[in-house]
Amino acid sequence: MMGARRGKRSLKDSLEDSVSGGKFKSEKSAVTSLNQGRGQEITGVTLPAEGQIKGWQFGEKQVVACAMVDGSFYAIQGNCPRCAFDLYKGDIVTDEAFGDNPGDLPRIACPTCSTTFGLKNGKTGPALKRKGLAGFVGSLTKTATRTDAFEDATAYVITREADTERVFMKER
């Protein structure tokens, strides 16, 4: 009989098994293993120019801040884990004073609470000292943020194929 289901599994489950071969234990490992380990292919985005940050939105809830520093692309979750403001509106920090380890650079500073996050690993770092109105607002947000606990941000690896210009992203 045409259209009859031969089991109690949904179409989504069947498609996921056919794509993954049924061997992945989690969604994260499935995405990491996509495209020969390069991650999920990203289409419809423009990559940032040198020293710039661009915000990408996927669906309704996934926002990513992508930056290009010294010819390399970096990506980090798009909202600050501390104050939930848009990190892609922040500043790139390459100053040695913002990390004991040179491997922690470059960093991105939240435009609201000034907390910095490593673009390579998402680790929380020292706050960027701002002056004037931005400094005043930053000091207010430190007392008014949803939590004083410093959480690390999620960092992503961005790769681009040289010959086809295809862009891929996976969680670090």
Side-chain angles (χ1 to χ4, degrees):
M1 161 172 26
M2 189 182 225
R5 290 180 53 182
R6 296 182 186 228
K8 296 185 179 188
R9 301 182 67 212
S10 69
L11 177 60
K12 180 181 175 187
D13 291 337
S14 300
L15 290 174
E16 285 175 352
D17 281 349
S18 68
V19 170
S20 67
K23 60 186 171 189
F24 296 114
K25 295 180 180 152
S26 71
E27 185 178 323
K28 181 179 175 182
S29 63
V31 171
T32 304
S33 299
L34 283 174
N35 299 312
Q36 292 82 37
R38 293 175 292 193
Q40 179 68 44
E41 182 176 4
I42 301 173
T43 59
V45 297
T46 51
L47 292 169
E50 180 67 38
Q52 299 293 312
I53 306 170
K54 286 215 174 207
W56 298 337
Q57 183 169 353
F58 305 103
E60 292 182 26
K61 298 186 183 205
Q62 180 71 17
V63 179
V64 175
C66 181
M68 182 179 186
V69 181
D70 296 330
S72 296
F73 293 104
Y74 301 97
I76 196 165
Q77 74 185 52
N79 59 333
C80 177
R82 183 160 189 235
C83 70
F85 199 73
D86 300 327
L87 284 177
Y88 63 87
K89 295 179 181 176
D91 300 313
I92 296 174
V93 179
T94 57
D95 188 1
E96 297 291 329
F98 284 91
D100 298 334
N101 180 1
D104 286 345
L105 296 174
R107 303 187 76 73
I108 189 169
C110 176
T112 305
C113 68
S114 299
T115 303
T116 61
F117 300 93
L119 286 171
K120 292 180 182 176
N121 55 19
K123 299 285 184 202
T124 303
L128 177 64
K129 304 234 186 301
R130 299 181 190 267
K131 296 179 181 176
L133 182 60
F136 175 71
V137 171
S139 67
L140 288 177
T141 59
K142 287 179 186 172
T143 60
T145 53
R146 62 183 178 170
T147 179
D148 280 339
F150 291 100
E151 299 176 28
D152 293 336
T154 305
Y156 300 94
V157 176
I158 300 288
T159 55
R160 181 175 63 173
E161 288 183 341
D163 54 343
T164 63
E165 298 291 319
R166 292 172 48 193
V167 179
F168 300 91
M169 180 176 82
K170 69 177 181 179
E171 194 170 323
R172 209 172 275 278

